[in-house]
Every structure is written in C-alpha cells, then in structure tokens.
Amino acid sequence: MSTTAVKTITKPNIGVFTNPEHKLWIEETTPNLNALKEKKGEGLPEGWVTVAIKSTGICGSDIHFWHAGAIGPMVVTNNHILGHESAGTIIATHPSVTHLQLGDRVAIEPGLICNNCEPCLTGRYNGCENMKFLSTPPVDGLLRRYVNHPAIWCHKIGNMSYENGALLEPLSVALAGMERSGVALGDSVLICGAGPIGLITLLCCQAAGACPITITDVDEGRLQVASKLCPRVKTYKVNTSLKPPESAEEIVKTANGIRPAIALECTGVESSVSNAIYSVKFGGKVFVIGVGKPEMSLPFMRLSTQEIDLQFQYRYCNTWPRAIRLVEDGVIDMKQLVTHRFDLEDAIKAFETAGDIKSGAIKVQIQSEVDT
C-alpha cells in the first residue's frame, strides 16, 4: 500500500506546551518535519498512521493542567503537550493499515489501551489499568500539526467538518453519561452546568425525549445559549449565597414543582453536586460527569434517607461510531457551540480566551490548514 503523503509537507510540526511552572508556549516537536518528509510512513509502528491535525478543541482539563498543573493524581512534571479533542486527515500509513486511505478525514480517539487487563477484556476499556490517554501527563497530547496514532483509534468521519469531528470527543463524554445514567423518554432531568459538556448533554437529553429538562449555571450568558440550543429547557441561574437545600427548592420551582428523576452533574463543583442531591426525587439518581477536587463533603443522610443513587463516570468507551451517526444524521447539532477559532500559531491567545469567563467562550477550537 502506498505511504506517500497527500501533499508536500512544508510546515514544521509545532505543539502547544505547558510545564510545572504554568507557562504556555509553542515550539517544534515530534514527529519532526524531516521524518515525515523522508519516511512517509515507513518508520511508523505496525498498525499506525500519521494524521495532519486540522481542528482541536480546548477542554477544561487543558486549562486546568495549565493553571493548576494537576487534576487529582495526574500531575504535570515536565514539558507537556496539551489537547485531546482532535480531527484531521490521514497523510501517511504503515503498509499493514488497510481500512484507512490517504486523505481520509478522521476523528481521533485519544486513549491508548493495553488490551490485556480486565476492563479492556470486558469491553470497558476506559478503565484500562495501563491507559495512555493523550494530554494526560506524562502522555503528550494532540495539539500539534502532525501526530502518529494507532489506526484503530482513528475513526472515519466522511465529509463531516473537522470542527464537528473534534467535537465528537466531548459528545462521547455526554453519550457515556446518557448510557450509564439511563436517561429515557419522559424522564425529568436536571443538568448542572452549562459549559460545553453540560450543553452537549442538554442536546442529548433533548434528543432522548427527557421532559422536563432544567439546566443550571452561575453565568446567565451560558444559560441563554442553552435556551437557544433547546427552546423548551428551563434555566436557573445559581444563587451562590443560598445553601444547597435552598438552591434545590428553587431548582424544583423552576421545573414547575417536578423533582428530577436524574441529575446529570457536569461541573464537579462540591456545592453543585450537593444541589443535585437535594433536588432529585426519592429513589432518584445523581450522575456525576464533571471532574472535581480529590475529596469533598456531601449530604450523606439526604442520599441515605431518600435512597438516591450516586454514580460517577470516567471518560468513555465504545462511543465514537454512535457519535458519528448522530452528527451525520443531524440528530445532534453542535455547530453553535464553537464560539471562537484560532490558528495553531495563535494558540496562546486561544487558551487565554478559553480560560477567561468574561470572553463568553463556549468551545474554543485551534485550527491548522483546514482547507487541506
């Protein structure tokens, strides 16, 4: 099989880095330009391809690794490349790869698994005991111009835009939450947080026929976006001066007195998780999608006396094919979520925008030669 690049590669491979000192910069990285031009796939491991990255979304975890240097036990200890929401074009393949052709548009699933541990062998590979998840230290991420990656984790997206292809990763997070929480037609649902994951979860709940749907946030602008995405959603701006039981009563009033059967918590903030716990009905479920601090205090007796199930999520598995179908068929339309776009060379400005709540950014994407 030919491994000649689709077009002559002339631009150097650059990446977006952070480090333990919380600096953010751009510099040349691997695979380097000479290797890409000269080997044209011959130096790739068996089953691997080279992808020219065209669009990458900035995730809240990227901002956190930059600002805080860690998320729980995952700590930035050296120079580290960010980014894990990416789509691009195949520009080189190892001869063993037969299902991908040069020029194919792909979305990249960023987790590399061992295929040997129990979670892998039972199909829940997001729990792989030897996971190498791109952008989670010490594994470098996808915010580069070119990346080598296993072909099996490069999902063909046909004529889908690179922008939508990059959004398949946060959509996968939402789909995993929908599946494990069990949201069904007619369920009353509360979504805590109107950031990118909360808004995509809203789109999924709308498509699933949840009713009523209530979404909360501290920012009025994000709630307005939610209303545009789903006109029938009920919105509640969180009053941070209220205690969780009081906030919960206001949330229930917003839903015309209907307590949610399921709360999808998308912030990971302790007070928001408590708001969800006090909001759901007897026998309800609080499903936490968001990532929070290592330890938090929660209303145990409320959970106990109301028989509330508290459940958590870690990433996703087996979601990409479903996500692609949902976008291709127009069931989920995420175009309005991308509010800011920057060239790869302007990635520093992109991160500053994504990290500034006053910018009004929902999803910031970094793009490279998107006309290829």
Side-chain angles (χ1 to χ4, degrees):
M1 179 179 178
S2 170
T3 56
T4 304
V6 172
K7 57 183 282 187
T8 302
I9 301 171
T10 58
K11 291 192 175 184
N13 193 13
I14 56 175
V16 182
F17 290 79
T18 189
N19 65 10
E21 288 72 47
H22 313 296
K23 294 180 180 178
L24 192 70
W25 74 97
I26 300 169
E27 69 174 38
E28 289 194 28
T29 186
T30 57
N32 63 53
L33 184 61
N34 288 336
L36 291 168
K37 290 172 67 174
E38 294 172 5
K39 294 183 179 180
K40 299 178 181 178
E42 295 170 8
L44 289 168
E46 184 175 350
W48 283 54
V49 297
T50 301
V51 183
I53 302 295
K54 302 302 181 183
S55 290
T56 300
I58 297 178
C59 177
S61 65
D62 295 317
I63 300 296
H64 211 75
F65 282 131
W66 169 32
H67 284 169
I71 297 176
M74 299 166 282
V75 181
V76 176
T77 58
N78 210 327
N79 293 350
H80 179 66
I81 301 176
L82 298 164
H84 59 266
E85 304 176 5
S86 297
T89 302
I90 301 294
I91 60 170
T93 66
H94 185 274
S96 61
V97 176
T98 57
H99 72 286
L100 292 176
Q101 307 296 321
L102 301 177
D104 282 347
R105 290 173 174 240
V106 296
I108 299 176
E109 187 168 352
L112 307 184
I113 65 173
C114 72
N115 281 310
N116 288 316
C117 64
E118 181 178 346
C120 286
L121 295 176
T122 55
R124 298 184 65 183
Y125 60 80
N126 55 314
C128 174
E129 296 168 4
N130 304 292
M131 173 71 78
K132 295 180 179 179
F133 194 90
L134 275 66
S135 84
T136 296
V139 185
D140 281 331
L142 294 169
L143 255 174
R144 294 177 255 183
R145 183 167 280 127
Y146 312 108
V147 163
N148 295 332
H149 201 70
I152 193 172
W153 301 119
C154 294
H155 302 276
K156 287 196 282 189
I157 58 174
N159 294 321
M160 185 186 298
S161 70
Y162 296 119
E163 202 164 271
N164 271 341
L167 286 168
L168 294 173
E169 199 278 343
L171 176 55
S172 285
V173 174
L175 289 179
M178 293 292 289
E179 181 178 6
R180 295 195 64 234
S181 66
V183 173
L185 185 69
D187 279 345
S188 53
V189 171
L190 168 66
I191 300 169
C192 300
I197 296 298
L199 292 173
I200 295 176
T201 299
L202 170 62
L203 290 173
C204 292
C205 287
Q206 176 179 233
C211 181
I213 308 172
T214 305
I215 191 166
T216 68
D217 204 276
V218 295
D219 183 72
E220 182 62 36
R222 292 194 165 192
L223 292 175
Q224 290 175 6
V225 173
S227 293
K228 291 178 182 178
L229 290 173
C230 177
R232 65 182 177 87
V233 72
K234 301 179 186 301
T235 62
Y236 173 73
K237 184 178 179 182
V238 175
N239 183 344
T240 55
S241 67
L242 296 180
K243 294 181 179 180
E246 298 167 327
S247 286
E249 290 307 311
E250 294 301 314
I251 290 168
V252 174
K253 286 180 185 177
T254 301
N256 297 326
I258 301 173
R259 288 191 176 272
I262 300 172
L264 298 165
E265 209 299 311
C266 299
T267 73
V269 175
E270 182 176 309
S271 60
S272 183
V273 176
S274 292
N275 287 348
I277 292 170
Y278 278 105
S279 295
V280 296
K281 68 180 185 179
F282 181 90
K285 176 183 290 188
V286 174
F287 189 88
V288 182
I289 299 173
V291 176
K293 59 186 182 181
E295 296 182 8
M296 62 177 66
S297 177
L298 297 175
F300 173 83
M301 286 308 297
R302 172 72 182 184
L303 289 163
S304 175
T305 61
Q306 296 297 301
E307 291 192 357
I308 296 168
D309 293 336
L310 180 60
Q311 194 173 356
F312 298 87
Q313 172 178 336
Y314 189 56
R315 296 173 180 155
Y316 40 72
C317 62
N318 306 305
T319 52
W320 248 262
R322 191 186 326 173
I324 291 168
R325 292 195 302 270
L326 288 168
V327 175
E328 285 181 333
D329 286 358
V331 178
I332 300 293
D333 183 356
M334 301 181 288
K335 290 192 293 292
Q336 295 183 60
L337 296 177
V338 181
T339 54
H340 296 73
R341 300 163 180 84
F342 294 87
D343 291 335
L344 180 58
E345 291 81 358
D346 295 325
I348 307 303
K349 188 175 181 181
F351 268 81
E352 290 171 349
T353 301
D356 180 8
I357 192 169
K358 296 179 181 178
S359 70
I362 298 296
K363 177 58 69 175
V364 177
Q365 285 202 355
I366 295 173
Q367 303 174 335
S368 177
E369 299 180 285
V370 294
D371 59 336
T372 299

PDB file of all heavy atoms in Angstrom, residues 11 42 124 131 157 171 174 176 267 280 304 309 349:
ATOM      1  N   LYS A  11       5.383  22.703   6.304  1.00  0.00           N
ATOM      2  CA  LYS A  11       5.379  23.407   7.590  1.00  0.00           C
ATOM      3  C   LYS A  11       5.930  22.518   8.695  1.00  0.00           C
ATOM      4  O   LYS A  11       5.630  21.325   8.742  1.00  0.00           O
ATOM      5  CB  LYS A  11       3.963  23.861   7.935  1.00  0.00           C
ATOM      6  CG  LYS A  11       3.435  24.975   7.043  1.00  0.00           C
ATOM      7  CD  LYS A  11       2.155  25.574   7.611  1.00  0.00           C
ATOM      8  CE  LYS A  11       1.694  26.765   6.784  1.00  0.00           C
ATOM      9  NZ  LYS A  11       0.510  27.417   7.362  1.00  0.00           N
ATOM     10  N   GLU A  42       7.011   4.793   6.428  1.00  0.00           N
ATOM     11  CA  GLU A  42       7.828   3.583   6.558  1.00  0.00           C
ATOM     12  C   GLU A  42       8.380   3.420   7.971  1.00  0.00           C
ATOM     13  O   GLU A  42       8.685   2.311   8.397  1.00  0.00           O
ATOM     14  CB  GLU A  42       8.961   3.616   5.534  1.00  0.00           C
ATOM     15  CG  GLU A  42       8.461   3.563   4.093  1.00  0.00           C
ATOM     16  CD  GLU A  42       9.561   3.835   3.086  1.00  0.00           C
ATOM     17  OE1 GLU A  42      10.741   3.916   3.508  1.00  0.00           O
ATOM     18  OE2 GLU A  42       9.255   3.988   1.891  1.00  0.00           O
ATOM     19  N   ARG A 124     -14.925  -2.508  28.820  1.00  0.00           N
ATOM     20  CA  ARG A 124     -14.963  -1.201  29.491  1.00  0.00           C
ATOM     21  C   ARG A 124     -13.553  -0.625  29.510  1.00  0.00           C
ATOM     22  O   ARG A 124     -12.968  -0.366  30.559  1.00  0.00           O
ATOM     23  CB  ARG A 124     -15.541  -1.340  30.895  1.00  0.00           C
ATOM     24  CG  ARG A 124     -16.972  -1.851  30.909  1.00  0.00           C
ATOM     25  CD  ARG A 124     -17.546  -1.897  32.310  1.00  0.00           C
ATOM     26  NE  ARG A 124     -17.673  -0.563  32.894  1.00  0.00           N
ATOM     27  CZ  ARG A 124     -18.104  -0.333  34.133  1.00  0.00           C
ATOM     28  NH1 ARG A 124     -18.446  -1.362  34.911  1.00  0.00           N
ATOM     29  NH2 ARG A 124     -18.201   0.895  34.598  1.00  0.00           N
ATOM     30  N   MET A 131      -3.691   2.497  30.814  1.00  0.00           N
ATOM     31  CA  MET A 131      -4.125   3.513  29.859  1.00  0.00           C
ATOM     32  C   MET A 131      -3.058   4.583  29.630  1.00  0.00           C
ATOM     33  O   MET A 131      -2.437   5.083  30.566  1.00  0.00           O
ATOM     34  CB  MET A 131      -5.396   4.177  30.362  1.00  0.00           C
ATOM     35  CG  MET A 131      -5.867   5.369  29.550  1.00  0.00           C
ATOM     36  SD  MET A 131      -6.517   4.935  27.923  1.00  0.00           S
ATOM     37  CE  MET A 131      -8.157   4.341  28.385  1.00  0.00           C
ATOM     38  N   ILE A 157     -14.750   9.945   9.360  1.00  0.00           N
ATOM     39  CA  ILE A 157     -15.894  10.844   9.529  1.00  0.00           C
ATOM     40  C   ILE A 157     -16.462  11.306   8.187  1.00  0.00           C
ATOM     41  O   ILE A 157     -17.304  12.217   8.152  1.00  0.00           O
ATOM     42  CB  ILE A 157     -15.530  12.064  10.401  1.00  0.00           C
ATOM     43  CG1 ILE A 157     -14.359  12.856   9.798  1.00  0.00           C
ATOM     44  CG2 ILE A 157     -15.210  11.621  11.816  1.00  0.00           C
ATOM     45  CD1 ILE A 157     -14.051  14.162  10.546  1.00  0.00           C
ATOM     46  N   LEU A 171     -18.755  15.010  22.810  1.00  0.00           N
ATOM     47  CA  LEU A 171     -20.022  14.303  22.610  1.00  0.00           C
ATOM     48  C   LEU A 171     -19.926  12.892  23.175  1.00  0.00           C
ATOM     49  O   LEU A 171     -20.888  12.378  23.752  1.00  0.00           O
ATOM     50  CB  LEU A 171     -20.387  14.262  21.127  1.00  0.00           C
ATOM     51  CG  LEU A 171     -21.639  13.460  20.747  1.00  0.00           C
ATOM     52  CD1 LEU A 171     -22.867  13.918  21.520  1.00  0.00           C
ATOM     53  CD2 LEU A 171     -21.892  13.544  19.236  1.00  0.00           C
ATOM     54  N   ALA A 174     -20.638  12.955  26.828  1.00  0.00           N
ATOM     55  CA  ALA A 174     -22.073  13.061  27.093  1.00  0.00           C
ATOM     56  C   ALA A 174     -22.800  11.747  26.813  1.00  0.00           C
ATOM     57  O   ALA A 174     -23.684  11.342  27.577  1.00  0.00           O
ATOM     58  CB  ALA A 174     -22.673  14.186  26.250  1.00  0.00           C
ATOM     59  N   ALA A 176     -21.612   8.713  26.972  1.00  0.00           N
ATOM     60  CA  ALA A 176     -21.304   7.759  28.040  1.00  0.00           C
ATOM     61  C   ALA A 176     -22.166   8.049  29.262  1.00  0.00           C
ATOM     62  O   ALA A 176     -22.678   7.132  29.911  1.00  0.00           O
ATOM     63  CB  ALA A 176     -19.821   7.826  28.396  1.00  0.00           C
ATOM     64  N   THR A 267     -20.301  19.754  36.440  1.00  0.00           N
ATOM     65  CA  THR A 267     -19.300  20.721  36.888  1.00  0.00           C
ATOM     66  C   THR A 267     -18.229  20.100  37.777  1.00  0.00           C
ATOM     67  O   THR A 267     -17.079  20.543  37.762  1.00  0.00           O
ATOM     68  CB  THR A 267     -19.963  21.877  37.668  1.00  0.00           C
ATOM     69  OG1 THR A 267     -20.389  21.412  38.957  1.00  0.00           O
ATOM     70  CG2 THR A 267     -21.148  22.443  36.904  1.00  0.00           C
ATOM     71  N   VAL A 280     -33.101  15.909  43.512  1.00  0.00           N
ATOM     72  CA  VAL A 280     -33.736  14.738  42.903  1.00  0.00           C
ATOM     73  C   VAL A 280     -34.776  14.118  43.834  1.00  0.00           C
ATOM     74  O   VAL A 280     -34.741  14.287  45.051  1.00  0.00           O
ATOM     75  CB  VAL A 280     -32.699  13.667  42.490  1.00  0.00           C
ATOM     76  CG1 VAL A 280     -31.761  14.198  41.413  1.00  0.00           C
ATOM     77  CG2 VAL A 280     -31.919  13.172  43.691  1.00  0.00           C
ATOM     78  N   SER A 304     -29.032   8.840  51.858  1.00  0.00           N
ATOM     79  CA  SER A 304     -29.482   7.615  52.510  1.00  0.00           C
ATOM     80  C   SER A 304     -30.999   7.574  52.683  1.00  0.00           C
ATOM     81  O   SER A 304     -31.663   6.609  52.283  1.00  0.00           O
ATOM     82  CB  SER A 304     -28.789   7.488  53.873  1.00  0.00           C
ATOM     83  OG  SER A 304     -29.274   6.378  54.578  1.00  0.00           O
ATOM     84  N   ASP A 309     -29.306   7.211  44.329  1.00  0.00           N
ATOM     85  CA  ASP A 309     -28.106   6.586  43.792  1.00  0.00           C
ATOM     86  C   ASP A 309     -27.126   7.676  43.362  1.00  0.00           C
ATOM     87  O   ASP A 309     -27.493   8.600  42.633  1.00  0.00           O
ATOM     88  CB  ASP A 309     -28.430   5.712  42.571  1.00  0.00           C
ATOM     89  CG  ASP A 309     -29.265   4.500  42.936  1.00  0.00           C
ATOM     90  OD1 ASP A 309     -29.220   4.089  44.106  1.00  0.00           O
ATOM     91  OD2 ASP A 309     -29.952   3.975  42.048  1.00  0.00           O
ATOM     92  N   LYS A 349      -3.232  32.784  22.543  1.00  0.00           N
ATOM     93  CA  LYS A 349      -4.418  33.642  22.634  1.00  0.00           C
ATOM     94  C   LYS A 349      -5.677  32.792  22.780  1.00  0.00           C
ATOM     95  O   LYS A 349      -6.623  33.169  23.485  1.00  0.00           O
ATOM     96  CB  LYS A 349      -4.514  34.541  21.404  1.00  0.00           C
ATOM     97  CG  LYS A 349      -5.603  35.589  21.499  1.00  0.00           C
ATOM     98  CD  LYS A 349      -5.581  36.537  20.304  1.00  0.00           C
ATOM     99  CE  LYS A 349      -6.671  37.593  20.431  1.00  0.00           C
ATOM    100  NZ  LYS A 349      -6.667  38.509  19.243  1.00  0.00           N
TER     101      LYS A 349
END
